[in-house]
Amino acid sequence: TTRNIKFAVHLGDITNHDVAAEYQVASDAHFLLDDALQPYSMTIGNHDIFPSAQAYKRESLYPTYFGQDRYQGETFYGGAYDSSNMSNYTYFEAGGVKFMVVSLEFAPRKDVVTWANNVIKNNPDRRVIVATHCHMNNNAEHVTGCVDGYNLEGREGVDLWEELIQRHSNVIMSVSGHVQGVSYRQRTGNNGNVVHEILSDFQNEPVLGNGHALGNGWLRVLTFKPATNQISVESLSVEDGNCAIFANCRSTLYLSYNQATSPTATKHNQQNYTLSHNFALPAYAYKTSDILFKDRMANVQLTGQHYDPNVATAPNGNFVTVWEDDNDGNGVGQIYARGFDPDGNALFNQIA
């Protein structure tokens, strides 16, 4: 069946252990999309900054295979937070409607969230889909544990909702993975806009029902229907008909997906469903409800020896953080400073 696929969204965990052999397999697979001129977006999961004990460094081979240089010049590619391309934005159109996908690194840092807020503000004519690896759980609630569990500075699910997603009138959806299962939750943004939050993760589906957990080729297809103000969500496997994957040769889900407590039309674990969505785009608005932010790292360097920190706060809520850092290990620390607004956004670059 011809599906008229306009765009593909990756949700991270491109590899299992962030090694070259795994990235080469993934890169070759995505060259199929490149050669077919099929637009798509990429971002990282926790397995792409492996090992977990060193995830705080956010070091990865990802930029070597999926960095900015791979996508420069592509009409669907908008740009990235930095050259690593771990956080980026991309464009597509469907049914005469303009969309933008903002793909964010695993447990996004505050500087990345600041960047993403500005990207969305600068594209008020786009319906925005936020894609990140870890955001929703299989109970259709915002996930916890992706930041503190990996010793990162970053956003948990509710933090990303409060510090980014709910603030923009043109954000219509978030999509995420990481947690085995599927879930849907309808929420309302600060400007009264409906936001559909969708978890899609089939990683533990076992081959033949009792074999290795390989995911069995399951994915989600979202069909946007502006003429009828609907979005359909469908689960399917690209391995349908493969008798080495499915015991009866037909695509089968072997695991239970009914995890949501007291499911409703706006909170559930359904595999296939249709959403009502008004595609009329109101005048763009940005509104904060609470500027309390989870955390933020003052220093730009993610490694080093940071000590003797101090904070000075102005009456308007702006603040400056100072610290020492012996990042070259010679026993002599330099004094660094960086300033922020009450929302945690940097007011000036790190100075030494």
Side-chain angles (χ1 to χ4, degrees), residues 29-98:
H30 284 80
F31 274 127
L32 297 175
L33 297 179
D34 295 335
D35 292 343
L37 304 180
Q38 174 65 58
Y40 64 96
S41 63
M42 300 293 295
T43 191
I44 63 163
N46 55 296
H47 283 268
D48 304 315
I49 47 175
F50 196 83
S52 299
Q54 298 179 28
Y56 68 92
K57 297 180 181 179
R58 295 187 182 269
E59 295 177 348
S60 175
L61 292 177
Y62 171 91
T64 303
Y65 296 88
F66 297 100
Q68 267 193 313
D69 55 346
R70 180 165 182 160
Y71 303 102
Q72 294 286 9
E74 297 286 359
T75 57
F76 65 85
Y77 184 72
Y81 170 72
D82 59 22
S83 61
S84 75
N85 203 45
M86 293 179 183
S87 297
N88 56 73
Y89 62 102
T90 45
Y91 300 117
F92 72 96
E93 295 189 22
V97 177
K98 295 180 178 180

Side-chain angles (χ1 to χ4, degrees), residues 109-167:
R109 292 164 287 171
K110 185 63 175 181
D111 285 335
V112 171
V113 172
T114 298
W115 166 84
N117 273 316
N118 289 328
V119 167
I120 296 173
K121 288 178 183 178
N122 292 334
N123 288 271
D125 62 332
R126 297 274 175 174
R127 283 81 171 170
V128 178
I129 301 169
V130 175
T132 192
H133 184 63
C134 185
H135 182 65
M136 282 266 286
N137 66 20
N138 52 24
N139 189 33
E141 302 289 352
H142 287 133
V143 78
T144 59
C146 284
V147 174
D148 297 336
Y150 292 88
N151 194 28
L152 294 172
E153 181 248 337
R155 311 306 101 186
E156 298 285 12
V158 68
D159 306 312
L160 190 63
W161 169 257
E162 293 176 349
E163 297 179 40
L164 177 74
I165 296 171
Q166 71 170 356
R167 297 183 176 190

Side-chain angles (χ1 to χ4, degrees), residues 139-199:
N139 189 33
E141 302 289 352
H142 287 133
V143 78
T144 59
C146 284
V147 174
D148 297 336
Y150 292 88
N151 194 28
L152 294 172
E153 181 248 337
R155 311 306 101 186
E156 298 285 12
V158 68
D159 306 312
L160 190 63
W161 169 257
E162 293 176 349
E163 297 179 40
L164 177 74
I165 296 171
Q166 71 170 356
R167 297 183 176 190
H168 301 270
S169 61
N170 59 337
V171 172
I172 67 167
M173 182 179 292
S174 76
V175 290
S176 59
H178 185 70
V179 179
Q180 161 66 34
V182 301
S183 66
Y184 168 76
R185 186 68 172 264
Q186 179 180 304
R187 302 184 192 275
T188 303
N190 291 345
N191 302 283
N193 52 304
V194 172
V195 181
H196 309 284
E197 298 209 292
I198 299 174
L199 165 72

